[in-house]
Amino acid sequence: MTTTTNQRPLVRAESVHKHFGDLEVLRGISLDVSRGEVVCLLGPSGSGKSTFLRCINHLEQVNAGRIWVGDEVIGYRQQGDRLHELNHRAIARQRRRIGMVFQKFNLFPHMTALENVIEGPVGVQGVPKAQAVARAKTLLTRVGLGNKENAYPRQLSGGQQQRVAIARALAMEPELMLFDEPTSALDPELVGEVLDVMKDLAQTGLTMIVVTHEIGFAREVADRVAFMDGGEILEIGPPSQVLGDPQHPRTRSFLSRVL
């Protein structure tokens, strides 16, 4: 968990707007996330949580506003007051700082767990294979899969596949990890094993933004919880405040249905 510092935030979103045709999905989202902080985004389906997460690593282009990770505007270079979109290579370089774990595991089915984890470091970063393999084995052990390195995705449970996906993201040594409802595709009995890995990561000081419906996880792990609805952040604060004593009527209504 984070400690208060005077450092510039690792993530800074400023008046971010996103629309798909006539549908305005994000309506001026502003959010700072400090290094080492865990922020959980809660809210109903369709509130813009996942779209905002995808904008942070430029999987979706913003229509207005901007997002910084460190001192870089993600997806763009700034000249005066104008933004110019970066080329694919420059965007790929920026994304190396940002790990993302999706609802679906997106593992390569023809590769073993170990091969999935080393693919990025070897193929993208040019890490020597022996070095990548050693780190991958450490990461698979860390997520509780040290005995599954030669297993293919079809031989793994959903929870195990998601833990491989987490190890794969960590193998790129990101500064920031984004989790987009990482347990939503899992059977209920498999959710805990993934959340346990995420709790462990939070304790290491890794900066994390997590879209989740797991209220208990948010209460235990998050430094701050942001409640989103209608493409806006309606309420943000410590879990004890947002979950225990919500101030916005929409937050209270939502929590009354899910708690």
Side-chain angles (χ1 to χ4, degrees):
M1 293 219 179
T2 190
T3 56
T4 301
T5 73
N6 293 320
Q7 290 182 328
R8 175 185 301 181
L10 177 60
V11 180
R12 181 157 55 102
E14 182 181 276
S15 300
V16 173
H17 290 256
K18 175 65 183 177
H19 58 76
F20 298 100
D22 293 333
L23 178 62
E24 191 172 14
V25 179
L26 300 178
R27 302 168 181 254
I29 296 287
S30 293
L31 176 69
D32 287 355
V33 179
S34 300
R35 291 183 182 274
E37 189 174 20
V38 179
V39 174
C40 285
L41 305 180
L42 303 181
S45 298
S47 58
K49 307 183 302 297
S50 294
T51 298
F52 177 56
L53 216 63
R54 292 171 65 85
C55 287
I56 294 175
N57 64 359
H58 204 64
L59 289 175
E60 297 288 355
Q61 298 177 337
V62 302
N63 297 116
R66 58 200 69 186
I67 299 171
W68 288 263
V69 174
D71 57 0
E72 292 187 299
V73 180
I74 294 299
Y76 300 92
R77 59 182 173 84
Q78 187 166 343
Q79 284 188 323
D81 293 331
R82 296 180 63 84
L83 293 178
H84 303 271
E85 189 169 16
L86 296 173
N87 60 37
H88 292 303
R89 178 174 294 184
I91 292 170
R93 179 190 58 78
Q94 289 185 330
R95 285 186 182 138
R96 295 179 191 178
R97 306 173 66 181
I98 307 169
M100 187 161 185
V101 178
F102 299 87
Q103 297 178 31
K104 297 294 185 181
F105 323 122
N106 297 330
L107 299 179
F108 295 112
H110 62 288
M111 293 183 180
T112 65
L114 183 70
E115 290 168 340
N116 266 281
V117 176
I118 70 171
E119 176 68 14
V122 173
V124 176
Q125 295 179 325
V127 175
K129 185 174 180 179
Q131 180 181 333
V133 166
R135 175 158 171 77
K137 289 183 176 182
T138 298
L139 288 170
L140 286 170
T141 298
R142 181 176 177 181
V143 300
L145 295 173
N147 62 339
K148 297 291 186 180
E149 63 184 54
N150 294 317
Y152 289 90
R154 65 179 180 275
Q155 298 170 315
L156 301 172
S157 71
Q160 290 171 331
Q161 290 183 62
Q162 192 62 293
R163 285 186 280 156
V164 173
I166 293 172
R168 179 180 60 183
L170 292 173
M172 302 293 283
E173 300 187 321
E175 295 177 64
L176 169 68
M177 282 286 287
L178 308 176
F179 293 87
D180 186 10
E181 298 192 44
T183 61
S184 65
L186 301 179
D187 292 333
E189 65 268 22
L190 302 178
V191 168
E193 63 191 49
V194 174
L195 294 180
D196 285 344
V197 170
M198 294 171 63
K199 291 175 187 176
D200 176 67
L201 293 178
Q203 293 300 319
T204 69
L206 182 63
T207 309
M208 297 165 52
I209 304 177
V210 184
V211 172
T212 184
H213 291 294
E214 301 293 337
I215 304 298
F217 172 84
R219 180 180 285 112
E220 180 180 352
V221 176
D223 294 292
R224 287 185 297 156
V225 171
F227 176 75
M228 290 182 62
D229 194 23
E232 299 178 284
I233 294 177
L234 300 183
E235 187 165 356
I236 185 167
S240 58
Q241 173 193 315
V242 177
L243 301 178
D245 186 24
Q247 301 301 301
H248 197 283
R250 185 67 186 92
T251 313
R252 292 197 295 269
S253 173
F254 175 80
L255 291 174
S256 71
R257 291 180 171 87
V258 300
L259 290 179

